[in-house]
Structure formats: structure tokens, C-alpha cells
Amino acid sequence: MPPEATEALQRTHFTAIDAVIVAVYLGLSLLIGIFVRRYARNMTAYIGADRKIGTWLGVATMLGTEMGLVTVMYSAQKGFTGGFAAFHIALIAGIATLIIGATGFIVGPLRRAEVLTIPEYYEKRFSRRVRVLGGCILAFGGILNMGLFLKVGSQFIVGITGLSAEGWALPAVMVGLLLLVVVYTALGGMISVILTDYVQFVILSFGLLIATGLAIAKLGWTDIFETTRAVLGDAGFNPVAEGSGFGWSYVLWMFVTAGLVGCAVWPTAVSRALAMESEKAVRRQYMVSSISFTIRFMIPYFWGICALVFISASPEGADLKPLFFPPEGAGHAAIDNLYALPIFLGRLLPPVLIGIITAAMIAAFMSTHDSYFLCWSSVITQDIVAPLRGRRGLSEQARIRLTRFIIFALGAYVLYWGLFYEGKDDIWDYMAVTGAIYFNGAIAVLIGGIYWKRASRAGALAALVAGCSAVFGLGPVQKLVGLQYLDPETEEWVQRLTGAEVGLLSVALALAAMVIFSLLLPDRNSAAPAKS
Amino acid sequence: MDWTFFWQFILVLMLGLFALMALAGTILGARDIRRLMGHLRNPDENTDRE
């Protein structure tokens, strides 16, 4: 990184008072974990909070979980590069959640089935073999999915606090945050996750609104739109315009990922539905959460757009323009545009408020990590290890011990992946593809299992395997199998199929596999759908 | 279609709704926490409301 970039990164309003605010907040989260440890008596309490979550606590925890710092960072990146055209993803997410809430599609029958995890439903509806395979694929895709969370989150902390982006600061922040989350999640399970999510909801919600108001006051409402049009043109507003970087296949792919999957198939969101006190509460939770499912994308997109306007047109951001958009012959590459948001916030927010917003963002970071750690570890315990032990089974205490051990193991993996993954995918696209490894198959198995009487075990197994084809959307895998080639003239990698196109083909393949194999190899004793 | 006006309208609408939701979630979420903790302290007592 050039010295000008290092100097620009360090010009922030973050002070010692802000550091104290952040430290107090982190200490509070740890205390909650220690305090509620005594309530984690059995697995239902440990991973499902005894299914006693009320509607509004469910709404709070849903926002806490689904709006992670990584969401803020990759969404801001999308806003920075795509402008207001990226808003279509937020709108799709909100509308889909509202429809799921109104109809109870997938989540209603799952809650009625009284399962703790999605693979547990696979066993109830199909067989133990489907559960174990589904659990393995879910854990693999999900763990891969959270690989970049730590690094991206730490980049935000480094950017907003003005710590050095190189050297020891980034790994140190990564290790510190990780240790804290792992400890309180392992201690209190879902109960501490829910309580910390609530605190995070309060700080995060008001932090988001205040920072957005300040950004508008600083840059001017009309100027934000006019500058975006000047920099990005029509493509900065119309998602299907040429040059927008989106297009019809992308919009369609977003209906699947940000829409249906984001709220009704993604395990961390579904685990909230499964912990609710009733199906009625689940539906209410989803109806209200349609606002937060929109906002969790929309506000970070808007912040990314504001960062673009600040850097492109504001006198105070003039020193940043040659760093993010270097002219030809500048002698250095553009700095990572993930730093645009934290640098912008670091200069926008006054002291004390910057401490509160940083605490809110760390809250977002932790609330996602804790839920993901708990979700994947409980799937491995409940849906892979315990079923494989057969009649010998696992005692409740052994399950909790194993889940805690896996949480620590996942923490080690996330640290390793954050330090060493070299893929160059756009963060959101990386997450959509890795998540798709799990959810493409899960869409077919859940919809088939719940709503189609003739769905069979063979169909479910085939759909799960077919869904794994989404892995071909990942940059390094595409290069390996020839789906990307190096253009000799431009010396740039060219995609034969985009990640969105691979994802859509993979969903179609999984659905087709479910139908064809169910018809060819029906179950002898067909189970009734959970809907009934 | 005027995309600028459309996104301005959506942004203002969602910010307003989110502000209301944040307020309601803060107050009513605290009530739900009290009930949850009550249940966790005395799991054998029936604290169901529905």
C-alpha cells in the first residue's frame, strides 16, 4: 500500500473515548455469556432457547443475526460500485420476506414439525441417510460461506479506527474479536446469542439511522443522487441497464438468494423461526422482519453510495480520489474499495458517535458470528455425529460439550481462512456461491418434502448432490475447470458463465433431480408431508 | 420509468418504517426478554401465552 494510502487511512476522528465505548460494549457481551451459562441445561435450551422467543425478541434477533458487519461491508461495496441499481436486491429481499410471513411458506410447516435444525426435518420426512448427507453439505457450504467474515470485519475496524492496514493490526483485531465471540457463544449457546442480539439490535438500529442522517446532512440529499448519476450514469440506477454489472440473470438469481433463501432456507434465519414460541409468532416475526431484511441491504448500499460521492465530489475526500481511482500511469493500483466505507465513516462521524457506531458495527460482526458458530456446530453435533453413532447415541451433556468444542474448532478455521484465502471474488458473490452449495439442494428437498407427497428419499439425496454443482460458480474452481480463461490480449480472466448463471442452472438441476429420481425411485411407504 | 424518484421514494419509506420498527423492537423486545428469563428461571411453570 502506498504511503499516501496509509496516511489517508489514519485520518479518522476515532479517539480514546471511542475506544472506551467499544471496550465497555465488548465486556458487556462477555458478561452476558457468563451470566446465562447456567440456563443451558439441555440441547433444546442450548440451541433453541427452549422455543420461548416472543415475536419482538424474534424480530430483534433476526436483524442482529442477518445484518452482520460482513453484510454491511459487502453491501457498501455493491453500493460503491453499482450505485442505486443495487437497491433492487434490498427490495427483493423485503418483498420475499413479507410473502413468506404472510403465507408461512416453508417456515410454518418447519416450525410445526418441532425440529431444531433443517436436517432434522430431512430425517422426519425422508430418512436418516438424507439427514446426515444434508447435514454434511449444509456444514460444508455454511462454514465455507463464513470464511471471509473475520477478515472483512477486521478490515472495517482497521479502517474506521485508523489502525495500520498492514503489519500486526489486522491479524490482532481478528484474533481478539474471534476469541470474544467464541467464548460467549460456547458458554451460553442460543440464550446468550439471543440476549446479545437484542443489545446489538438496539445499538445497531439507532446507529444505522443516526449515521444515515449525518451522511445526508453532510453530502446533501440532491447532490448524492446527482453525483451518482454523473459518475455511474443510468447504470447507477437501472439494474438491467448495460454496464450496471447486474442484468436480468443477476436479478433472477437475487430472487433465489436474497429473496427465498435469505429468509426461508438459510439455516441461521430458519433457526430463529424454529426457536419461536408458536407458528403464529413465526409469521408475525417474518412480516415485521421484512423491513429489516430490506434495510440490512439498503442502508449499507446507501452508505457505499455516500462514500462514492464523498470520494468523487467532496472537497474533504479529494485526497482519496487518486487512491481509489488512480489515473493511468499513477504507478500504484487502486486500494481495496472495501476500505471506502470505513474511511468515509471515520471522517464523517464526530468523536463519541464514532465510538457508538463502531460498537454497533462490532455488534453486527459478533451477532452474525455467534449465530453462525452455533448453527453449524449444532448441525454437526445433532445431524452428523449423533445420528452416525446410531443406538449408542449421545447424552445431552456430551452433545453440549461436543458443540462447544466444534465452536472453538470453527473459530480456528475462520482465522486460518481469513489469513490465507486468496480468491478475488466480489464478497457478496463469494457468499452467494458458497451458500448455494447448501441451499440449491435444500430448496428442492424442503419444497419437495413439504409440498409434494411423492417426493422420495432417492429424490432428496439426488437433489442434495446436484445442488453441490454451485461450487462451479467460485472463481478458483472456474479457473480450474475452464469456466474462466485468460484473454491473451487483455491479460484478464474472462468468465464463460457468471456465478449467477451457474447458480440458476444449479437450482434447476437440483429441482429436476428431485422430480426425476422421486418418480423413478419412489418410497415404498410414502411419508405424509409435514404440511398436513 | 424515473428510477431516481423511485429509489428516493423507497429509501425514505423504508427509513421511516425502520425507525418505527427500531422503537417498537426496543420496547417490546425488552418485555419478551423478561418473559424468556422468567421461563428459564422456572422452566417447570407454564409461561405460555397462546
Side-chain angles (χ1 to χ4, degrees), chain A residues 39 41 50 52 54-57 84 87-88 191 198 201 205-206 225 229 237-238 277-278 295 298 302, chain B residues 3-4 7-8 10-11 14 18 21-22 24-26 28 30 32-33 36-37 39-41 48-50:
Chain A
Y39 300 123
R41 302 173 307 276
D50 266 355
K52 291 290 174 192
T55 302
W56 285 96
L57 189 52
F84 288 93
F87 272 25
H88 76 275
I191 306 164
Y198 172 76
F201 167 82
S205 303
F206 293 102
F225 288 87
R229 187 164 287 283
F237 292 85
N238 180 355
E277 59 191 1
S278 66
I295 281 295
M298 193 170 275
F302 187 66
Chain B
W3 284 100
T4 306
W7 292 131
Q8 281 177 339
I10 295 289
L11 182 60
M14 293 316 301
F18 183 60
M21 195 196 87
T26 303
L28 299 171
D32 285 348
I33 285 182
L36 174 67
M37 296 312 288
H39 166 81
L40 291 171
R41 281 193 200 99
D48 287 346
R49 279 162 288 150
E50 289 173 315

Side-chain angles (χ1 to χ4, degrees), chain A residues 341-356:
Chain A
L341 175 69
I343 291 175
F344 165 64
L345 290 180
R347 295 190 184 191
L348 171 78
L349 304 170
V352 179
L353 190 58
I354 198 173
I356 295 170

Side-chain angles (χ1 to χ4, degrees), chain A residues 422-461:
Chain A
E422 295 271 325
K424 299 287 177 201
D425 312 73
D426 179 297
I427 304 292
W428 167 239
D429 296 331
Y430 167 87
M431 291 180 59
V433 170
T434 50
I437 294 168
Y438 149 72
F439 65 66
N440 281 353
I443 291 172
V445 178
L446 285 172
I447 294 177
I450 294 169
Y451 299 103
W452 189 36
K453 239 179 178 175
R454 294 177 68 181
S456 75
R457 289 173 204 126
L461 289 170

Side-chain angles (χ1 to χ4, degrees), chain A residues 62-63 65-68 71-72 74-75 90 93 208 257-259 261-263 266 290-301 372 428, chain B residues 18:
Chain A
M62 191 71 104
L63 178 74
T65 303
E66 297 308 318
M67 184 154 187
T71 316
V72 174
Y74 68 63
S75 299
L208 288 172
T257 54
V261 170
C263 63
W266 193 241
S290 63
I291 299 168
S292 49
F293 267 81
T294 312
I295 281 295
R296 78 172 175 136
F297 291 126
M298 193 170 275
I299 287 185
Y301 291 151
Y372 276 59
W428 167 239
Chain B
F18 183 60

Side-chain angles (χ1 to χ4, degrees), chain A residues 112-178:
Chain A
R112 274 206 302 281
E114 297 210 330
V115 291
L116 284 172
T117 63
I118 290 175
E120 191 182 339
Y121 169 77
Y122 293 168
E123 181 172 355
K124 273 196 165 183
R125 173 64 177 86
F126 297 106
S127 69
R128 179 160 291 187
R129 201 177 291 176
V130 178
R131 177 182 189 171
V132 173
L133 180 67
C136 289
I137 293 172
L138 193 162
F140 175 71
I143 291 168
L144 205 59
N145 183 262
M146 74 180 298
L148 290 181
F149 284 18
L150 181 63
K151 186 177 186 177
V152 175
S154 303
Q155 278 181 298
F156 177 90
I157 310 289
V158 163
I160 200 166
T161 55
L163 288 167
S164 167
E166 288 163 349
W168 60 269
L170 191 62
V173 170
M174 284 161 73
V175 172
L177 288 176
L178 192 63

